[in-house]
Amino acid sequence: MAGGFFLYLCTMEKENIIFGIRAIFEAIQAGTAVDKVFIQKEIAGELMKDLMKVMKRANINFSYVPVEKLNRLTPNNHQGAVASISPIGFMELEHLVESTMESGKKPLFLILDQISDARNFGAIIRTAECTGVNGIIVQKAGSAPVNGDTVKTSAGAVFNVPICKVEHIKDAIFYLQGSGIKTVAATEKTEQTIYDIALNEPIAIIMGSEGRGINPSVLKIVDEKAKLPMFGTIGSLNVSVACGAFLYEAVRQRS
């Protein structure tokens, strides 16, 4: 026991979870890869204040939810807090870039600007693994969790592709640019198509979220913008499909 509470780890159909305020607090303190914490609305108390402080220090994503959601996640006494645990570890961006450079490979990175759907995330990871992507970079806040849906949709590829979580996408872009890596944004806000730009050099392809695409502040700092030509009446593709088209054009140019 720790502080009078058992640390419960429950393996469910979709993801691994910890429940109980003290258990989550101690897991974070111990460096466990907590992906997201769900907090019951309007819950209070000293323990909850301590948990909020440690989550903010560790920059862990959390959201307030009705108690019904917590009850669905676990039938046990959750005390108003349930946390999902990532089944993988995350790599530091600097280590990813350095190790890729040292390997002699021509870097191909993928940046996901707040992709929020776990299944889209998993599908993208699967394609990334198939196309030789050296690493995927996501923002800590607002990004899809690595949960059971992600693992299943990726067909296990999530265990083969390094994933970095960063505080801010823009800082990651500046770091990559400073390392000699060209950043290419997939956006309809350009006249250039994917076939007009060079992808056979060190690059990082940036894909936007399902709803709003790439953040305008991110678009201002990228090196290149490119779109996919569209000939039908529907004006956009699912982000995982669009990502596949971009990555395979990069493969074609590098072959």
Side-chain angles (χ1 to χ4, degrees):
M1 287 195 298
F5 289 84
F6 287 102
L7 187 151
Y8 295 98
L9 174 62
C10 178
T11 302
M12 303 185 67
E13 182 181 351
K14 291 189 175 181
E15 58 193 315
N16 291 328
I17 64 167
I18 292 174
F19 54 90
I21 298 172
R22 175 62 67 183
I24 297 170
F25 176 90
E26 292 178 357
I28 295 171
Q29 291 281 69
T32 302
V34 174
D35 200 63
K36 185 171 184 177
V37 180
F38 300 97
I39 304 292
Q40 183 179 328
K41 288 180 179 178
E42 301 176 353
I43 196 167
E46 290 303 313
L47 275 177
M48 182 55 69
K49 288 180 182 178
D50 291 341
L51 177 58
M52 296 300 294
K53 287 177 184 177
V54 76
M55 286 194 301
K56 288 176 181 177
R57 279 202 302 269
N59 199 28
I60 290 173
N61 195 16
F62 67 91
S63 63
Y64 292 101
V65 298
V67 67
E68 289 79 10
K69 178 175 177 64
L70 301 183
N71 293 339
R72 287 195 299 271
L73 289 172
T74 174
N76 299 283
N77 180 20
H78 49 68
Q79 301 171 327
V82 175
S84 63
I85 306 172
S86 173
I88 64 167
F90 296 97
M91 185 179 287
E92 293 293 329
L93 177 61
E94 292 81 1
H95 178 58
L96 172 64
V97 174
E98 289 172 8
S99 61
T100 302
M101 296 287 198
E102 290 170 1
S103 71
K105 297 175 182 176
K106 189 182 295 181
L108 174 58
F109 298 120
L110 187 59
I111 300 175
L112 305 181
D113 186 9
Q114 295 186 307
I115 300 291
S116 59
D117 185 273
R119 290 184 178 87
N120 278 337
F121 191 20
I124 287 170
I125 295 169
R126 183 174 184 173
T127 304
E129 201 273 343
C130 291
T131 52
V133 168
N134 302 114
I136 298 173
I137 300 156
V138 300
Q139 187 165 283
K140 287 183 179 179
S143 297
V146 179
N147 60 17
D149 283 336
T150 314
V151 173
K152 184 177 180 181
T153 312
S154 78
V158 69
F159 300 112
N160 300 327
V161 182
I163 298 176
C164 300
K165 278 193 170 186
V166 297
E167 300 291 341
H168 302 289
I169 290 294
K170 289 198 291 184
D171 289 343
I173 290 173
F174 287 135
Y175 180 81
L176 291 169
Q177 290 169 332
S179 302
I181 297 164
K182 182 171 76 173
T183 54
V184 180
T187 175
E188 296 174 359
K189 298 175 182 178
T190 181
E191 294 303 313
Q192 226 174 194
T193 75
I194 189 175
Y195 309 115
D196 298 325
I197 63 173
L199 300 175
N200 59 347
E201 53 192 282
I203 60 167
I205 296 173
I206 306 160
M207 305 300 300
S209 67
E210 296 88 346
R212 60 179 177 79
I214 296 173
N215 192 300
S217 65
V218 171
L219 286 176
K220 289 178 181 178
I221 64 172
V222 299
D223 298 304
E224 298 263 20
K225 301 173 188 174
K227 65 181 180 180
L228 292 169
M230 304 290 291
F231 303 105
T233 56
I234 296 174
S236 64
L237 291 169
N238 172 276
V239 63
S240 65
V241 175
C243 185
F246 268 80
L247 289 175
Y248 270 101
E249 175 58 15
V251 168
R252 186 192 70 79
Q253 291 190 25
R254 290 162 176 245
S255 298

